[in-house]
Amino acid sequence: MRRLWIALTYAVIVLLLAVPLVKIFSGAWADGWSGFIEGLTGRKRCTRL
Amino acid sequence: MNVRLNSRWWSFGFRSAIMLYFVILIVLPITGIYVQSFSLGLRPFWDSVSNPLAWKAVLLTLKLAVIATILNMALGTMVGWVLVRYRFPGRRLLNSLVDLPFALPTAVTGLMILLLLGPGSFVGEWAGKAGIDIVFHEPAIVIAMLFVTFPFVIRAVQPLLEEIDASEEEAAYTLGASKARTFFRVIFPSMLPGILSGAMLAFSRALAEFGAVVLIAGNIPGKTLVASVYIFGEIESDNPQGAAAVSIILLTLSFAILWIVNYVQGRRTNR
């Protein structure tokens, strides 16, 4: 039972907090370092629409 | 004599500074909202409040905030319990992650949910194929509310769990009570004020959520438009009186909730 509660806690925190956080980091570098720098300096414009 | 006079002046100055701070930061803005909402008289106020779109936005916000709060009570109690009662690898990391929603701007939260569940993402595409609507529909709003209010119940429950006297539990076990019975008759009543006050704060916060929701709700009037985004829309449409009228509904609800929280905490302290 103890293991089940710990596993559930891990699942909740990882799914609700950690995964979105990782996703935003991976999203920021989706186009590599150059894409990240362009996004940061405002030179990157939407090209996917 | 001189020392006493000095301390009296210090005390007066200190109290005046606190009162001034309170008035400037809290009383004046709230009074301004109430004044603005009735600025054109009672009839325009009533028209703004009884506007079907405004009511739908308020009711939707209430419904979704209640769902997020119930989920928060269950998950928060479980997470709080596990983090206090069990020792396991990664416990400190999980404990520090709990406060993440307080540290992040809510717009970032909205963006994270959009990247994770939006069109083009793995989950979004899978949900689309399965016919499940997440982003730009109510589930996304609940997820956003759940994210931003996640720490409230946990942080309210943890100190109470740490304070519980182990001898009470041991006495229950010695008298032959099962684990479940001990939990519901000894531990849970001690946790309840924390769960309730955390839930009230979470509900109050969920009612007011804007930054995360505006990115992922779709903001369709009457369907996915929540009260805070409705208020923003009214300001954008140059209708500050209408925005203030809906604001005071939320404000009054938040006041009532905070009063209940104070009452619950007051009872806990007096015990």
Side-chain angles (χ1 to χ4, degrees), chain B residues 57-77:
Chain B
V58 171
L59 288 178
L60 177 75
T61 312
L62 282 174
K63 182 181 89 176
L64 300 180
V66 166
I67 295 171
T69 305
I70 291 169
L71 287 172
N72 233 320
M73 285 169 82
L75 296 175
T77 306

Side-chain angles (χ1 to χ4, degrees), chain B residues 35 89 124 143 148 211 229 256:
Chain B
V35 169
I143 293 170
V148 296
V229 183

Side-chain angles (χ1 to χ4, degrees), chain B residues 30-181:
Chain B
I30 290 174
T31 311
I33 293 278
Y34 277 91
V35 169
Q36 180 69 56
S37 63
F38 292 101
S39 60
L40 302 177
L42 209 61
R43 181 79 199 173
F45 168 78
W46 180 246
D47 288 343
S48 301
V49 168
S50 58
N51 177 352
L53 285 182
W55 264 115
K56 280 184 180 171
V58 171
L59 288 178
L60 177 75
T61 312
L62 282 174
K63 182 181 89 176
L64 300 180
V66 166
I67 295 171
T69 305
I70 291 169
L71 287 172
N72 233 320
M73 285 169 82
L75 296 175
T77 306
M78 182 193 76
V79 173
W81 169 267
V82 170
L83 291 177
V84 170
R85 286 298 176 107
Y86 301 140
R87 295 290 175 269
F88 55 94
R91 188 180 71 93
R92 283 190 177 184
L93 178 70
L94 293 189
N95 198 27
S96 55
L97 269 176
V98 167
D99 287 327
L100 183 73
F102 283 156
L104 281 178
T106 50
V108 177
T109 304
L111 184 61
M112 288 195 312
I113 295 168
L114 198 60
L115 286 172
L116 192 66
L117 308 174
S121 69
F122 172 73
V123 182
E125 283 189 3
W126 173 83
K129 280 178 193 163
I132 304 166
D133 298 317
I134 303 178
V135 168
F136 309 130
H137 291 85
E138 290 178 7
I141 305 174
V142 173
I143 293 170
M145 286 177 170
L146 189 60
F147 186 97
V148 296
T149 59
F150 189 66
F152 285 109
V153 175
I154 300 170
R155 293 304 185 222
V157 162
Q158 276 180 321
L160 291 179
L161 275 171
E162 280 159 4
E163 275 173 20
I164 292 176
D165 191 357
S167 61
E168 287 178 20
E169 263 180 81
E170 284 161 13
Y173 289 131
T174 312
L175 292 169
S178 64
K179 274 191 174 178
R181 193 174 164 83

